[in-house]
Amino acid sequence: MYNMLSNQNPFKTAQTQLDEAAAIMGLDPAIHELLRWPLRELHITIPVRMDNGTTQIFHGFRVQHNDARGPNKGGIRFHPDETIDTVRALAEWMTWKTALLDIPLGGGKGGIICNPKTMSTGELERLSRAYIRQLGSFLGPDKDIPAPDMYTSPKIMAWMLDEYSIMRGQNEFGAITGKPLALGGSAGRNDATARGGILCVREAADLLGLNLAGSRAAIQGYGNAGSFAHKLAVELLGIKVIAVSDSKGCIYNPEGFLYSAIMAHKQQTGSVTEFPGAAAISQKELLELDVSVLFPAALESVITAQNAPAIRAKIIAELANGSTTPEADTILHNNGVYLIPDLLCNGGGVTVSWFEMVQNAYGYYWEEEEVHKRLEKKMSAAFHSMQEAAKTHKVHNRLGAYIVAVQRVAEAMKLRGWY
Ligand code: NAD
């Protein structure tokens, strides 16, 4: 969805980012043009019987940006403001993410325009199953593998997996990731996105000579990525989380919040807001707090040319996709803010999704420690390749990450004879 505050089109952002990298790399113009667009996209219209007996028509998308390095991979979002351009951008970012993490997968993404908060469990199940029925022939472990994203969950993945298996007449665990453990999910998938981001923050702090223990952080968004970032920032880095937010508002306490207390409050009230003893602040104030680490973990385009000059964080760890616009990237870089771009920072999610597919393929499941160990190795290798490229080309981290990823995808396309 577009962030209504900035009205920035995420697909334009993704194309601009690629254009900047292509110029630095001297990318062949035909390759550049091919990579600016998805290879395939599907628009679907889905009738769903609602609880009150009426039929509601929903619109959805699945975009396959590039599968030169392997089958398309990417989440499915349920959101009232979903747009084809957001899904295109996210599919493109998945291509770069899988390439940067050196995972043998491509880039895909899906979405349905709907408001899951106003739908019953039965309505959500019928919508999820209908989406898969419409898309079934485009999906599969060797074609395109969905996963959870904004407002979709392991439970929704379980319905989707079941529907796909029914269509194929056999169990198809490898066709969807982010599944519940009892249905071929992977240990360590729940917190994988946040864990990958925290591992990057640790690498960045080492590089900057920053001692994070006792320092402060702020988190925008308190869903899967944001809430686990709170838990792991405290557990693994000794950070104090002094501000968190969700779609209803932001809370602040300079003494720091206890993860378990915020989660209990959220479970009880449905939001982090009105947490006892916390002050209410605005989203703007949260983003501009004087912290060691800022975790955007909600929406696209929240750090723009307007607020970038006021950002005081030393490290920005982009758990959300597309949270910073290209103009803001330059401002932050010039101001010495160390930005860990989404392509890397939230790549832990797709990495453990890939581990899940590998485990599904051989029907043997790893212990959680094994998943953590393998994730750490992947995140660290990707962090250092990004860092190296940024240093060599004297560019900011996002461009460094793009250069590594685009080179890898271009190599695969060349080997296939696409140019
Ligand atoms: P989620 O649905 O679990 O949580 C989203 C959170 O954002 C909720 O707490 C919601 O209240 C909050 N939010 C919505 N609008 C907001 C606003 N205007 N201000 C502040 N908070 C707001 O989603 P998630 O899976 O945690 O995804 C969050 C971001 O991380 C997305 O950009 C997603 O693409 C990215 N991401 C997630 C994963 C994953 O594995 N979950 C992987 C890669 C990237």
Side-chain angles (χ1 to χ4, degrees):
M1 75 250 39
Y2 294 8
N3 178 355
M4 298 307 169
L5 296 176
S6 67
N7 205 21
Q8 185 94 14
N9 180 334
F11 187 48
K12 288 271 176 295
T13 298
Q15 289 187 319
T16 305
Q17 290 165 344
L18 174 67
D19 295 348
E20 287 179 8
I24 294 161
M25 299 166 72
L27 197 65
D28 178 283
I31 303 304
H32 179 191
E33 182 60 12
L34 184 55
L35 291 173
R36 293 185 92 236
W37 301 97
L39 288 179
R40 282 175 290 276
E41 58 185 47
L42 195 67
H43 296 233
I44 59 175
T45 307
I46 319 167
V48 175
R49 186 64 49 85
M50 306 305 277
D51 290 349
N52 65 7
T54 61
T55 298
Q56 194 171 324
I57 309 301
F58 292 89
H59 298 279
F61 320 100
R62 185 75 193 171
V63 174
Q64 299 174 344
H65 175 259
N66 191 291
D67 55 4
R69 287 176 40 88
N72 301 286
K73 180 88 191 84
I76 298 173
R77 293 179 161 203
F78 284 3
H79 201 281
D81 299 329
E82 196 58 273
T83 70
I84 182 63
D85 274 350
T86 311
V87 180
R88 285 175 175 149
L90 289 159
E92 180 177 334
W93 287 327
M94 285 303 290
T95 301
W96 310 137
K97 203 176 297 182
T98 49
L100 177 66
L101 269 302
D102 206 7
I103 291 170
L105 293 169
K109 207 74 170 195
I112 304 180
I113 306 169
C114 67
N115 187 352
K117 290 182 183 170
T118 62
M119 295 172 71
S120 71
T121 305
E123 289 168 345
L124 278 174
E125 176 173 355
R126 292 193 288 280
L127 178 65
S128 304
R129 287 183 182 275
Y131 180 78
I132 292 299
R133 278 199 302 278
Q134 290 275 31
L135 279 178
S137 53
F138 287 78
L139 304 176
D142 297 316
K143 288 188 195 170
D144 186 356
I145 309 100
D149 203 294
M150 283 284 260
Y151 299 142
T152 51
S153 60
K155 189 172 171 180
I156 289 175
M157 296 306 114
W159 294 326
M160 290 185 167
L161 164 79
D162 186 60
E163 195 63 32
Y164 186 78
S165 299
I166 291 169
M167 287 173 77
R168 297 295 310 268
Q170 62 194 37
N171 243 335
E172 285 283 355
F173 280 167
I176 306 247
T177 62
K179 303 179 296 288
L181 277 181
L183 284 181
S186 175
R189 176 62 184 88
N190 269 353
D191 71 9
T193 301
R195 186 174 292 271
I198 295 290
L199 294 171
C200 292
V201 169
R202 195 171 66 192
E203 295 273 4
D206 282 352
L207 195 84
L208 301 172
L210 210 66
N211 180 12
L212 291 174
S215 74
R216 293 169 304 176
I219 303 175
Q220 182 188 48
Y222 212 73
N224 174 284
S227 64
F228 278 118
H230 182 177
K231 181 170 188 278
L232 296 175
V234 175
E235 275 177 20
L236 301 182
L237 304 176
I239 286 179
K240 231 167 31 169
V241 174
I242 60 164
V244 302
S245 74
D246 62 20
S247 58
K248 301 213 172 95
C250 311
I251 53 170
Y252 170 75
N253 183 342
E255 298 310 315
F257 292 116
L258 207 58
Y259 163 77
S260 54
I262 300 274
M263 280 307 275
H265 176 74
K266 195 186 151 194
Q267 258 147 26
Q268 218 177 8
T269 66
S271 172
V272 299
T273 55
E274 290 174 26
F275 182 74
I281 57 170
S282 68
Q283 298 280 358
K284 180 178 181 307
E285 285 170 312
L286 179 142
L287 293 171
E288 295 172 8
L289 283 171
D290 185 8
V291 288
S292 57
V293 192
L294 171 66
F295 293 94
L299 301 173
E300 299 85 32
S301 312
V302 292
I303 304 176
T304 64
Q306 278 72 47
N307 62 359
I311 300 275
R312 285 184 288 168
K314 293 189 177 56
I315 297 173
I316 296 180
E318 283 188 330
L319 290 172
N321 284 303
S323 52
T324 309
T325 65
E327 305 77 41
D329 271 335
T330 306
I331 297 169
L332 294 170
H333 182 60
N334 292 342
N335 287 352
V337 178
Y338 192 93
L339 184 135
I340 307 167
D342 48 4
L343 298 184
L344 172 67
C345 193
N346 66 32
V350 69
T351 303
V352 177
S353 272
W354 171 52
F355 294 164
E356 184 175 333
M357 288 173 66
V358 171
Q359 294 169 81
N360 293 149
Y362 61 71
Y364 179 80
Y365 291 84
W366 306 336
E367 301 288 332
E368 194 164 19
E369 293 69 39
E370 180 73 22
V371 173
H372 290 171
K373 208 170 69 192
R374 288 176 187 263
L375 174 64
E376 189 162 349
K377 210 167 150 190
K378 273 289 186 201
M379 296 306 303
S380 172
F383 182 94
H384 289 287
S385 29
M386 171 197 77
Q387 185 60 37
E388 196 56 40
K391 214 166 100 189
T392 307
H393 293 274
K394 299 190 175 51
V395 292
H396 58 66
N397 285 343
R398 191 183 317 279
L399 280 173
Y402 259 80
I403 289 167
V404 174
V406 172
Q407 254 161 6
R408 288 178 181 167
V409 177
E411 185 194 2
M413 296 202 304
K414 192 168 174 79
L415 288 168
R416 281 174 180 268
W418 290 5
Y419 71 99

